Amino acid sequence: MPKTVRNVFNDALSIKKLTEAHKKCQKAKRSKDNVIRFNLKQEEYIAWLYEELKNRTYKHGGYTKFIIKEPKIRQIEASSYKDRIVHRWCVDNFLDKYFTPQFIPNSYACIKNKGMHKAALDLQKAMKECKKKYGDYYILKMDVEKYFSNINKDILMKILSRKIKDKDVLWVLSEIIYSKNCGSGIPLGNLTSQMFANIYYNEADQFIKHKLKIRYYFRYMDDSVLLMQNKEEIKKVKKQIEDYIHEYLGLKFNKKTNIFKGKQGVNFCGYKINEYRLKIRDKGKRKLKKKIKYLKKQILLKNMTSKEAKKYLCGHFGYLKYSNTYSLTNKVFAKD
Protein backbone atom coordinates (compact mmCIF):
# COMPACT_ATOMS: atom_id res chain seq x y z
CA MET A 1 0.00 0.00 0.00
CA PRO A 2 1.54 3.36 -1.04
CA LYS A 3 2.31 5.92 1.66
CA THR A 4 0.59 8.61 -0.40
CA VAL A 5 -2.14 8.43 -3.03
CA ARG A 6 -1.85 10.44 -6.24
CA ASN A 7 -3.64 10.64 -9.60
CA VAL A 8 -6.51 8.30 -8.74
CA PHE A 9 -9.58 10.51 -9.19
CA ASN A 10 -9.90 10.26 -12.98
CA ASP A 11 -9.25 6.51 -12.97
CA ALA A 12 -12.05 6.02 -10.44
CA LEU A 13 -14.52 8.31 -12.20
CA SER A 14 -16.62 6.35 -14.68
CA ILE A 15 -20.27 5.66 -15.47
CA LYS A 16 -19.66 2.02 -14.54
CA LYS A 17 -18.32 2.78 -11.06
CA LEU A 18 -21.04 5.31 -10.30
CA THR A 19 -23.63 2.75 -11.40
CA GLU A 20 -22.02 0.16 -9.09
CA ALA A 21 -22.25 2.67 -6.23
CA HIS A 22 -25.93 3.27 -7.06
CA LYS A 23 -26.67 -0.48 -7.02
CA LYS A 24 -25.06 -0.83 -3.58
CA CYS A 25 -26.98 2.19 -2.25
CA GLN A 26 -30.36 0.84 -3.29
CA LYS A 27 -29.98 -2.57 -1.66
CA ALA A 28 -32.96 -3.22 0.64
CA LYS A 29 -34.28 0.26 -0.25
CA ARG A 30 -35.80 -0.27 -3.70
CA SER A 31 -39.27 0.58 -2.42
CA LYS A 32 -38.21 4.02 -1.14
CA ASP A 33 -39.71 6.92 -3.10
CA ASN A 34 -36.35 8.60 -3.81
CA VAL A 35 -34.86 5.35 -5.10
CA ILE A 36 -37.89 4.66 -7.31
CA ARG A 37 -37.67 8.15 -8.81
CA PHE A 38 -33.94 7.75 -9.43
CA ASN A 39 -34.42 4.37 -11.10
CA LEU A 40 -37.01 5.78 -13.52
CA LYS A 41 -34.24 7.82 -15.16
CA GLN A 42 -31.19 5.97 -13.87
CA GLU A 43 -28.94 6.38 -16.93
CA GLU A 44 -29.77 10.07 -17.23
CA TYR A 45 -29.12 10.80 -13.56
CA ILE A 46 -25.87 8.82 -13.50
CA ALA A 47 -24.62 10.65 -16.61
CA TRP A 48 -25.55 13.98 -15.01
CA LEU A 49 -23.69 13.08 -11.80
CA TYR A 50 -20.69 11.92 -13.83
CA GLU A 51 -20.52 15.29 -15.63
CA GLU A 52 -20.78 17.20 -12.35
CA LEU A 53 -17.87 15.28 -10.86
CA LYS A 54 -15.85 15.46 -14.07
CA ASN A 55 -16.33 19.23 -14.41
CA ARG A 56 -15.92 19.83 -10.66
CA THR A 57 -19.36 21.45 -10.43
CA TYR A 58 -20.77 18.91 -7.97
CA LYS A 59 -22.17 20.46 -4.79
CA HIS A 60 -23.22 18.37 -1.83
CA GLY A 61 -26.81 19.10 -0.81
CA GLY A 62 -28.28 19.58 2.64
CA TYR A 63 -29.56 16.98 5.07
CA THR A 64 -32.90 15.64 6.20
CA LYS A 65 -32.85 15.54 9.99
CA PHE A 66 -34.86 13.17 12.16
CA ILE A 67 -34.67 11.57 15.61
CA ILE A 68 -34.30 7.87 16.39
CA LYS A 69 -34.85 6.44 19.87
CA GLU A 70 -33.11 3.06 19.53
CA PRO A 71 -30.58 2.07 20.75
CA LYS A 72 -30.62 5.57 22.27
CA ILE A 73 -31.92 9.00 21.30
CA ARG A 74 -29.87 10.39 18.42
CA GLN A 75 -30.30 12.94 15.66
CA ILE A 76 -29.73 11.39 12.25
CA GLU A 77 -28.80 13.63 9.32
CA ALA A 78 -29.56 11.81 6.08
CA SER A 79 -28.20 13.11 2.79
CA SER A 80 -30.07 13.01 -0.53
CA TYR A 81 -29.94 9.85 -2.61
CA LYS A 82 -27.67 11.43 -5.23
CA ASP A 83 -25.22 12.43 -2.49
CA ARG A 84 -25.35 8.93 -1.00
CA ILE A 85 -24.15 7.57 -4.34
CA VAL A 86 -21.17 9.92 -4.17
CA HIS A 87 -20.53 8.81 -0.58
CA ARG A 88 -20.52 5.16 -1.65
CA TRP A 89 -18.25 5.90 -4.60
CA CYS A 90 -15.78 7.76 -2.37
CA VAL A 91 -15.74 5.03 0.28
CA ASP A 92 -15.17 2.23 -2.24
CA ASN A 93 -12.56 4.00 -4.35
CA PHE A 94 -10.64 6.22 -1.92
CA LEU A 95 -11.40 5.74 1.78
CA ASP A 96 -11.83 2.01 2.39
CA LYS A 97 -9.26 1.12 -0.26
CA TYR A 98 -6.41 3.25 1.10
CA PHE A 99 -7.15 3.77 4.81
CA THR A 100 -8.66 0.53 6.16
CA PRO A 101 -5.44 -1.48 5.59
CA GLN A 102 -3.70 0.98 7.96
CA PHE A 103 -6.10 0.37 10.84
CA ILE A 104 -4.91 -1.68 13.81
CA PRO A 105 -6.14 -5.31 13.92
CA ASN A 106 -8.31 -4.61 16.98
CA SER A 107 -10.44 -1.87 15.41
CA TYR A 108 -13.81 -3.46 14.66
CA ALA A 109 -16.48 -0.92 13.66
CA CYS A 110 -17.77 -0.88 10.06
CA ILE A 111 -15.01 -3.20 8.81
CA LYS A 112 -15.69 -6.29 6.72
CA ASN A 113 -15.47 -9.60 8.63
CA LYS A 114 -15.29 -7.81 11.99
CA GLY A 115 -18.11 -6.13 13.93
CA MET A 116 -19.46 -6.07 17.49
CA HIS A 117 -19.59 -9.80 18.14
CA LYS A 118 -15.99 -10.39 17.09
CA ALA A 119 -14.89 -7.41 19.19
CA ALA A 120 -16.61 -8.87 22.27
CA LEU A 121 -15.21 -12.38 21.72
CA ASP A 122 -11.67 -11.11 21.10
CA LEU A 123 -11.81 -9.01 24.25
CA GLN A 124 -13.01 -11.98 26.26
CA LYS A 125 -10.13 -14.09 24.89
CA ALA A 126 -7.67 -11.37 25.98
CA MET A 127 -9.24 -11.25 29.44
CA LYS A 128 -8.65 -15.00 29.79
CA GLU A 129 -5.02 -14.50 28.79
CA CYS A 130 -4.57 -11.71 31.33
CA LYS A 131 -6.18 -13.80 34.08
CA LYS A 132 -3.81 -16.68 33.29
CA LYS A 133 -0.74 -14.44 32.93
CA TYR A 134 -1.26 -11.88 35.70
CA GLY A 135 -3.86 -13.32 38.06
CA ASP A 136 -5.29 -9.93 38.97
CA TYR A 137 -5.43 -7.26 36.26
CA TYR A 138 -7.19 -3.97 35.52
CA ILE A 139 -9.52 -2.73 32.79
CA LEU A 140 -9.65 0.79 31.41
CA LYS A 141 -12.99 1.42 29.67
CA MET A 142 -12.92 4.59 27.51
CA ASP A 143 -15.83 6.41 25.93
CA VAL A 144 -15.45 9.65 23.94
CA GLU A 145 -17.90 12.45 24.70
CA LYS A 146 -20.29 13.11 21.77
CA TYR A 147 -17.77 11.69 19.35
CA PHE A 148 -19.31 12.41 15.96
CA SER A 149 -20.37 15.96 16.82
CA ASN A 150 -16.93 16.75 18.28
CA ILE A 151 -14.85 15.62 15.30
CA ASN A 152 -12.94 18.67 14.08
CA LYS A 153 -13.41 19.01 10.31
CA ASP A 154 -10.13 20.87 9.77
CA ILE A 155 -8.16 18.22 11.65
CA LEU A 156 -9.98 15.51 9.67
CA MET A 157 -9.02 17.16 6.38
CA LYS A 158 -5.37 17.37 7.51
CA ILE A 159 -5.39 13.65 8.35
CA LEU A 160 -6.88 12.81 4.94
CA SER A 161 -4.46 15.08 3.09
CA ARG A 162 -1.43 13.39 4.65
CA LYS A 163 -2.37 10.25 2.75
CA ILE A 164 -4.19 11.66 -0.26
CA LYS A 165 -2.26 14.03 -2.50
CA ASP A 166 -4.79 14.01 -5.35
CA LYS A 167 -6.39 17.49 -5.28
CA ASP A 168 -9.55 16.28 -6.99
CA VAL A 169 -10.15 13.57 -4.40
CA LEU A 170 -9.60 16.11 -1.61
CA TRP A 171 -12.04 18.45 -3.36
CA VAL A 172 -14.91 15.93 -3.37
CA LEU A 173 -14.16 14.83 0.21
CA SER A 174 -14.21 18.46 1.35
CA GLU A 175 -17.57 18.92 -0.40
CA ILE A 176 -18.93 16.15 1.82
CA ILE A 177 -17.17 17.21 5.04
CA TYR A 178 -18.02 20.91 4.77
CA SER A 179 -21.47 20.40 3.22
CA LYS A 180 -24.16 22.96 4.02
CA ASN A 181 -26.51 22.59 7.00
CA CYS A 182 -24.21 19.97 8.45
CA GLY A 183 -23.45 21.83 11.67
CA SER A 184 -20.49 20.94 13.90
CA GLY A 185 -18.69 17.63 13.62
CA ILE A 186 -19.80 15.05 11.10
CA PRO A 187 -23.41 13.84 10.72
CA LEU A 188 -24.67 10.48 11.92
CA GLY A 189 -26.32 8.36 9.26
CA ASN A 190 -23.91 8.53 6.33
CA LEU A 191 -21.52 5.87 5.07
CA THR A 192 -18.70 8.40 4.74
CA SER A 193 -19.25 9.50 8.35
CA GLN A 194 -18.50 5.98 9.59
CA MET A 195 -15.27 5.88 7.59
CA PHE A 196 -14.27 9.41 8.62
CA ALA A 197 -14.85 8.52 12.28
CA ASN A 198 -12.66 5.41 11.98
CA ILE A 199 -9.92 7.31 10.15
CA TYR A 200 -10.01 10.12 12.73
CA TYR A 201 -9.64 7.92 15.82
CA ASN A 202 -7.08 5.71 14.10
CA GLU A 203 -4.64 8.48 15.08
CA ALA A 204 -5.24 7.59 18.74
CA ASP A 205 -5.11 3.86 17.95
CA GLN A 206 -1.63 4.25 16.45
CA PHE A 207 -0.49 6.25 19.48
CA ILE A 208 -1.81 3.64 21.92
CA LYS A 209 -0.42 0.62 20.07
CA HIS A 210 2.91 1.95 18.82
CA LYS A 211 3.90 4.77 21.17
CA LEU A 212 2.48 3.45 24.42
CA LYS A 213 2.90 -0.17 23.23
CA ILE A 214 -0.33 -1.42 24.79
CA ARG A 215 -0.82 -5.06 23.85
CA TYR A 216 -4.42 -5.59 24.94
CA TYR A 217 -6.40 -2.77 23.34
CA PHE A 218 -9.77 -3.04 21.56
CA ARG A 219 -11.94 -0.37 19.91
CA TYR A 220 -15.40 -0.25 18.42
CA MET A 221 -15.89 3.30 17.04
CA ASP A 222 -15.63 5.63 20.08
CA ASP A 223 -15.81 2.87 22.71
CA SER A 224 -12.51 1.25 23.63
CA VAL A 225 -11.03 -1.04 26.27
CA LEU A 226 -7.50 -1.83 27.34
CA LEU A 227 -6.17 -4.33 29.86
CA MET A 228 -3.05 -4.00 32.05
CA GLN A 229 -1.56 -5.71 35.09
CA ASN A 230 -0.73 -2.70 37.24
CA LYS A 231 -3.26 -0.12 38.49
CA GLU A 232 -0.79 2.75 38.70
CA GLU A 233 0.42 2.04 35.15
CA ILE A 234 -3.11 2.00 33.80
CA LYS A 235 -3.82 5.34 35.50
CA LYS A 236 -0.72 6.77 33.84
CA VAL A 237 -1.78 5.41 30.43
CA LYS A 238 -5.29 6.85 30.87
CA LYS A 239 -3.79 10.32 31.45
CA GLN A 240 -1.49 9.98 28.42
CA ILE A 241 -4.39 9.01 26.15
CA GLU A 242 -6.59 11.82 27.51
CA ASP A 243 -3.83 14.35 26.85
CA TYR A 244 -3.23 13.00 23.34
CA ILE A 245 -6.84 13.02 22.13
CA HIS A 246 -7.38 16.49 23.62
CA GLU A 247 -4.25 18.02 22.09
CA TYR A 248 -4.26 16.36 18.67
CA LEU A 249 -7.92 15.51 18.05
CA GLY A 250 -9.86 18.02 20.15
CA LEU A 251 -11.69 15.23 22.00
CA LYS A 252 -12.26 14.25 25.61
CA PHE A 253 -13.60 11.25 27.49
CA ASN A 254 -17.04 11.29 29.09
CA LYS A 255 -18.03 10.27 32.61
CA LYS A 256 -18.44 6.62 31.64
CA THR A 257 -14.65 6.32 31.28
CA ASN A 258 -13.33 4.41 34.28
CA ILE A 259 -10.91 1.81 35.64
CA PHE A 260 -12.17 -1.55 36.94
CA LYS A 261 -10.69 -4.66 38.45
CA GLY A 262 -10.60 -7.52 35.96
CA LYS A 263 -12.94 -9.63 38.09
CA GLN A 264 -15.66 -6.96 37.73
CA GLY A 265 -15.87 -7.48 34.00
CA VAL A 266 -16.71 -4.70 31.55
CA ASN A 267 -19.60 -3.47 29.39
CA PHE A 268 -18.55 -3.51 25.74
CA CYS A 269 -20.46 -3.83 22.45
CA GLY A 270 -23.76 -4.53 24.19
CA TYR A 271 -22.42 -7.30 26.43
CA LYS A 272 -21.34 -7.57 30.05
CA ILE A 273 -18.08 -9.47 29.59
CA ASN A 274 -15.90 -11.42 31.99
CA GLU A 275 -13.40 -14.22 31.36
CA TYR A 276 -16.03 -16.96 31.20
CA ARG A 277 -19.38 -15.36 30.43
CA LEU A 278 -20.85 -13.09 27.77
CA LYS A 279 -24.11 -11.68 29.11
CA ILE A 280 -26.55 -9.29 27.50
CA ARG A 281 -26.66 -6.09 29.52
CA ASP A 282 -29.74 -5.36 31.64
CA LYS A 283 -30.68 -2.52 29.31
CA GLY A 284 -30.59 -4.92 26.36
CA LYS A 285 -32.71 -7.48 28.23
CA ARG A 286 -35.38 -4.86 28.94
CA LYS A 287 -35.52 -3.83 25.29
CA LEU A 288 -35.76 -7.44 24.12
CA LYS A 289 -38.58 -8.26 26.55
CA LYS A 290 -40.46 -5.09 25.62
CA LYS A 291 -40.16 -5.78 21.90
CA ILE A 292 -41.26 -9.42 22.23
CA LYS A 293 -44.26 -8.38 24.31
CA TYR A 294 -45.25 -5.86 21.63
CA LEU A 295 -44.77 -8.36 18.78
CA LYS A 296 -46.82 -11.06 20.54
CA LYS A 297 -49.64 -8.55 20.91
CA GLN A 298 -49.46 -7.65 17.21
CA ILE A 299 -49.61 -11.34 16.26
CA LEU A 300 -52.68 -11.89 18.48
CA LEU A 301 -54.35 -8.87 16.87
CA LYS A 302 -53.44 -10.38 13.48
CA ASN A 303 -51.57 -7.23 12.48
CA MET A 304 -48.60 -9.39 11.49
CA THR A 305 -47.59 -13.02 11.15
CA SER A 306 -44.99 -14.84 13.25
CA LYS A 307 -42.69 -14.86 10.22
CA GLU A 308 -42.98 -11.08 9.88
CA ALA A 309 -42.39 -10.59 13.60
CA LYS A 310 -39.11 -12.53 13.46
CA LYS A 311 -37.68 -9.91 11.06
CA TYR A 312 -37.87 -7.33 13.85
CA LEU A 313 -35.75 -9.54 16.10
CA CYS A 314 -32.81 -10.26 13.78
CA GLY A 315 -30.42 -7.98 15.69
CA HIS A 316 -31.43 -9.52 19.02
CA PHE A 317 -30.97 -13.05 17.66
CA GLY A 318 -27.38 -12.11 16.80
CA TYR A 319 -26.69 -11.09 20.39
CA LEU A 320 -28.39 -14.17 21.81
CA LYS A 321 -26.35 -16.44 19.53
CA TYR A 322 -23.05 -15.39 21.12
CA SER A 323 -24.16 -14.81 24.71
CA ASN A 324 -24.72 -17.09 27.70
CA THR A 325 -28.50 -16.57 27.90
CA TYR A 326 -30.13 -20.00 28.15
CA SER A 327 -32.49 -18.97 30.96
CA LEU A 328 -33.29 -15.61 29.35
CA THR A 329 -34.05 -17.22 25.99
CA ASN A 330 -36.39 -19.80 27.55
CA LYS A 331 -38.15 -17.11 29.52
CA VAL A 332 -38.76 -14.48 26.84
CA PHE A 333 -39.63 -16.93 24.06
CA ALA A 334 -41.86 -19.12 26.19
CA LYS A 335 -45.35 -19.62 24.80
CA ASP A 336 -48.10 -17.91 26.76
Side-chain angles (χ1 to χ4, degrees), residues 3 34 85 87 98 108 147 195 276 281 298 308 326:
K3 288 185 178 180
N34 55 356
I85 293 173
H87 292 187
Y98 296 114
Y108 296 89
Y147 180 50
M195 278 301 305
Y276 305 105
R281 296 168 60 186
Q298 294 304 305
E308 289 171 335
Y326 180 79

Side-chain angles (χ1 to χ4, degrees), residues 160-279:
L160 293 170
S161 62
R162 287 206 312 263
K163 179 75 174 176
I164 298 173
K165 300 302 180 182
D166 188 314
K167 291 182 180 180
D168 294 319
V169 176
L170 292 175
W171 159 72
V172 72
L173 293 178
S174 68
E175 274 295 325
I176 297 169
I177 292 168
Y178 295 106
S179 53
K180 63 182 180 180
N181 302 327
C182 185
S184 60
I186 57 175
L188 282 166
N190 293 308
L191 182 63
T192 46
S193 296
Q194 297 171 356
M195 278 301 305
F196 289 148
N198 259 340
I199 291 167
Y200 198 79
Y201 209 80
N202 180 59
E203 300 292 299
D205 292 342
Q206 299 299 328
F207 172 75
I208 292 166
K209 291 296 290 185
H210 301 301
K211 295 292 184 181
L212 300 183
K213 299 188 183 303
I214 304 299
R215 179 176 180 180
Y216 299 111
Y217 169 69
F218 306 83
R219 178 173 71 84
Y220 189 93
M221 201 53 76
D222 59 321
D223 289 345
S224 52
V225 175
L226 65 82
L227 315 174
M228 294 183 72
Q229 180 182 13
N230 185 279
K231 187 175 183 178
E232 293 306 313
E233 280 296 312
I234 210 168
K235 285 181 179 179
K236 181 182 176 182
V237 164
K238 177 177 178 288
K239 180 66 167 58
Q240 289 174 311
I241 298 171
E242 282 178 320
D243 290 345
Y244 180 89
I245 65 168
H246 178 71
E247 181 177 354
Y248 293 100
L249 300 176
L251 302 171
K252 63 180 180 179
F253 292 138
N254 62 24
K255 293 179 181 179
K256 290 187 283 186
T257 298
N258 216 331
I259 296 171
F260 307 92
K261 289 182 178 180
K263 64 183 180 182
Q264 292 178 262
V266 64
N267 290 329
F268 187 57
C269 290
Y271 293 104
K272 176 70 174 182
I273 306 171
N274 64 28
E275 295 97 348
Y276 305 105
R277 292 185 68 84
L278 218 63
K279 292 183 177 181

